[in-house]
Amino acid sequence: MLTIPPGLDPDLLRSFVLIAEGGSFTRAAQAVGRTQSAVSMQIRRLEDILGQPLLLRGTRGVEPTQHGHWLLERARRLLALHDEIHATFRQPAVAGSVRLGSPDDYAIRWLPAILARFAASHPAVQVEVTCAPSNELVERLEDGELDLTLISEGNEPLGARPRWLWRGPLFWVGTEEVARRRPLPIALANGGCSWRKAAVAALDAADLPWRMAYTAASLSGSLAVALAGLAVTVAMPAPLPEGLRVLGAAEGLPVLPEFGIGLLRGPGTPVSEALSRHIEEGFALEAGFEARLRA
């Protein structure tokens, strides 16, 4: 007689993915709106179904076991397909266009996965993406040229209430040899960039001599200068090109502050609200990225 294995509840898999990516039962419980004990019971139920331990508590928090790593990759795909099916049949049809703004750095880091999921669940929506510095994107939103935009903290208009999606540290990036030069050659964006303001303020507070060696319009331009051994730059947690590394106190560089990434929205429409939800969910899925990278 054919034995049918027990089904895998998407809610169990979702809690597992959130814990595995974020390294915390507490953050996962907050994300799914359950108590920590309820989420722990979900993981025990999933491990009972599969017959293998999936998560272990270590010195760096909760980490997947070998079987957990195998499941994590497949659970992400399964949940994406589950959400696509659910959205297609249960949500009202959304059609039209939406205009999204984003600084170049965030477009490369976050938008590909977010836009791919959005296109799969809303195939009748056309997304127009504009990449520019945060201050320019704010102006375009206020002028009605954008429906929503990502911005760096420090560029929000007076009285605005962005939806804060992510917060994490900034890092000095470059090579050790360049980092020990004085005055320190730096490559950053134009004067309105919040990263530039933070870097310059930290250097001045540490009384460390510096010079602006290059001004680049995007992080990729600054990284290219750093790769050439001409300057150090500032970046957020992300995989770095080969030849560059995170720099800090060992090279005599001051600590940089944390910064936030926010979402500003214009007058809401069904299309822009749908994209806004996808953006918020996409950033939530990446909540544990910085902790994993630093580990």
Side-chain angles (χ1 to χ4, degrees), residues 39-99:
V39 170
S40 297
M41 290 179 63
Q42 284 185 310
I43 299 304
R44 285 197 294 271
R45 171 62 178 155
L46 184 60
E47 290 177 333
D48 288 342
I49 292 173
L50 297 178
Q52 296 289 345
L54 302 173
L55 296 168
L56 290 175
R57 295 185 183 273
T59 57
R60 298 193 295 262
V62 182
E63 299 178 346
T65 63
Q66 182 177 356
H67 288 97
H69 279 294
W70 187 93
L71 176 63
L72 180 59
E73 178 184 350
R74 289 152 183 83
R76 288 189 183 119
R77 298 201 300 263
L78 185 59
L79 287 172
L81 183 59
H82 170 272
D83 293 346
E84 178 187 345
I85 294 171
H86 188 275
T88 300
F89 285 92
R90 297 297 298 275
Q91 292 182 358
V94 177
S97 63
V98 59
R99 301 164 299 176

Side-chain angles (χ1 to χ4, degrees), residues 175-206:
T175 65
E176 181 179 352
E177 188 272 328
V178 176
R180 296 188 181 279
R181 296 177 188 170
R182 297 295 181 268
L184 177 71
I186 58 176
L188 295 167
N190 59 36
C193 173
S194 57
W195 292 12
R196 174 176 175 143
K197 294 176 183 177
V200 169
L203 291 170
D204 288 344

Side-chain angles (χ1 to χ4, degrees), residues 271-284:
V271 180
S272 65
E273 291 296 333
L275 179 56
S276 176
R277 288 193 299 272
H278 270 72
I279 291 173
E280 293 181 21
E281 292 169 1
F283 273 83

Side-chain angles (χ1 to χ4, degrees), residues 30-31 141 148-153 156-157 160-167 260-265 273 275-277 279-284:
Q30 292 171 346
L141 183 72
L148 62 166
T149 185
L150 297 173
I151 61 165
S152 297
E153 185 177 13
E156 60 273 20
R161 288 189 163 186
R163 167 66 170 156
W164 295 110
L165 305 171
W166 189 89
R167 173 165 292 277
I261 299 174
L263 177 66
L264 282 176
R265 294 176 287 193
E273 291 296 333
L275 179 56
S276 176
R277 288 193 299 272
I279 291 173
E280 293 181 21
E281 292 169 1
F283 273 83

Side-chain angles (χ1 to χ4, degrees), residues 245-259:
R245 69 180 186 87
V246 171
L247 306 166
E251 292 77 31
L253 300 181
V255 175
L256 292 169
E258 290 192 345
F259 81 106

